């Protein structure tokens, strides 16, 4: 036999060998990753759900998908085991690399009353009047002219004349 006739078969067998070898390496790494799971680690399932491992069994894993909500998954359904920093960044939005001072973070009040107390403690003007006055001052500074606002809502007379029967029979609101 000639080597030229055997060359396509040799190349095909070599390609199959390389593909199966890389697939076996991926399977071995996935198995190693799944065996490294222990209670308390964060994981991402193959469906894209993030959870915390509570218990590890032979073929199954008990995951806490929300506080107090537990579900049993097959070990093969775990797509990735995440380190603590990455899990906290994704799930809780906590970035350990950020250096945030307490003075830089805005203070969020517990209720809305603290937001309105400062406006109400003034000279008796309502907060809406103060907002309108501030808007007018900003418009004057910008050189804008006084423009009348147009109400684009439906007229009350048109709304009253349109009956529900007309709407059911194919009538429209537009006139």
């Amino acid at each position: 036999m000639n080597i030229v006739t055997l060359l396509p078969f040799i190349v095909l067998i070599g390609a199959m060998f390389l593909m199966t070898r890389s697939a076996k390496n991926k399977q071995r790494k996935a198995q190693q990753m799944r065996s490294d799971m222990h209670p308390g680690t964060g994981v991402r399932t193959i469906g894209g759900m993030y959870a915390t491992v509570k218990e590890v069994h032979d073929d199954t894993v008990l995951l806490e998908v929300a506080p107090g909500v537990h579900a049993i998954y097959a070990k093969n359904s775990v797509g990735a085991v995440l380190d603590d920093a990455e899990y906290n960044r994704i799930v809780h939005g906590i970035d350990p690399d950020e250096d945030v001072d307490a003075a830089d973070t805005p203070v969020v009040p517990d209720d809305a009353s603290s937001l309105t107390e400062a406006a109400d403690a003034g000279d008796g003007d309502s907060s809406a009047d103060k907002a309108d006055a501030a808007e007018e001052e900003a418009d004057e500074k910008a050189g804008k002219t006084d423009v009348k606002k147009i109400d684009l809502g439906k007229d009350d007379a048109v709304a009253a004349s349109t009956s529900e029967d007309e709407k059911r029979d194919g009538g429209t609101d537009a006139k």
Side-chain angles (χ1 to χ4, degrees), residues 74-129:
K75 270 191 176 179
N76 292 337
S77 66
V78 174
V81 176
L82 308 172
D83 60 344
D84 290 337
E86 183 179 5
Y87 181 77
N88 287 331
R89 182 184 59 81
I90 293 170
V91 176
H92 302 294
I94 300 170
D95 195 4
D97 297 334
E98 287 184 5
D99 293 332
V100 180
D101 292 338
D104 293 340
T105 58
V107 177
V108 180
D110 290 337
D111 59 352
S113 65
S114 63
L115 297 174
T116 59
E117 287 174 0
D120 291 341
D123 56 348
D125 292 340
S126 69
S127 61
D129 292 339

Side-chain angles (χ1 to χ4, degrees), residues 26-148:
K26 285 182 183 180
Q27 286 177 351
R28 187 175 64 246
K29 286 180 183 178
Q31 185 64 29
Q32 178 66 31
M33 179 250 331
R34 289 183 183 114
S35 66
D36 289 343
M37 282 189 298
H38 58 276
T41 58
V43 296
R44 183 184 65 236
T45 64
I46 58 174
M49 183 178 59
Y50 293 92
T52 305
V53 176
K54 288 298 177 183
E55 295 177 8
V56 179
H57 302 286
D58 292 336
D59 295 331
T60 60
V61 179
L62 180 67
L63 299 179
E64 184 176 30
V65 295
V69 179
H70 298 90
I72 297 174
Y73 282 82
K75 270 191 176 179
N76 292 337
S77 66
V78 174
V81 176
L82 308 172
D83 60 344
D84 290 337
E86 183 179 5
Y87 181 77
N88 287 331
R89 182 184 59 81
I90 293 170
V91 176
H92 302 294
I94 300 170
D95 195 4
D97 297 334
E98 287 184 5
D99 293 332
V100 180
D101 292 338
D104 293 340
T105 58
V107 177
V108 180
D110 290 337
D111 59 352
S113 65
S114 63
L115 297 174
T116 59
E117 287 174 0
D120 291 341
D123 56 348
D125 292 340
S126 69
S127 61
D129 292 339
K130 287 183 181 182
D132 289 339
E135 186 177 319
E136 288 174 10
E137 288 177 3
D139 288 345
E140 288 175 9
K141 288 180 183 177
K144 294 183 181 177
T145 60
D146 189 25
V147 178
K148 183 180 178 184

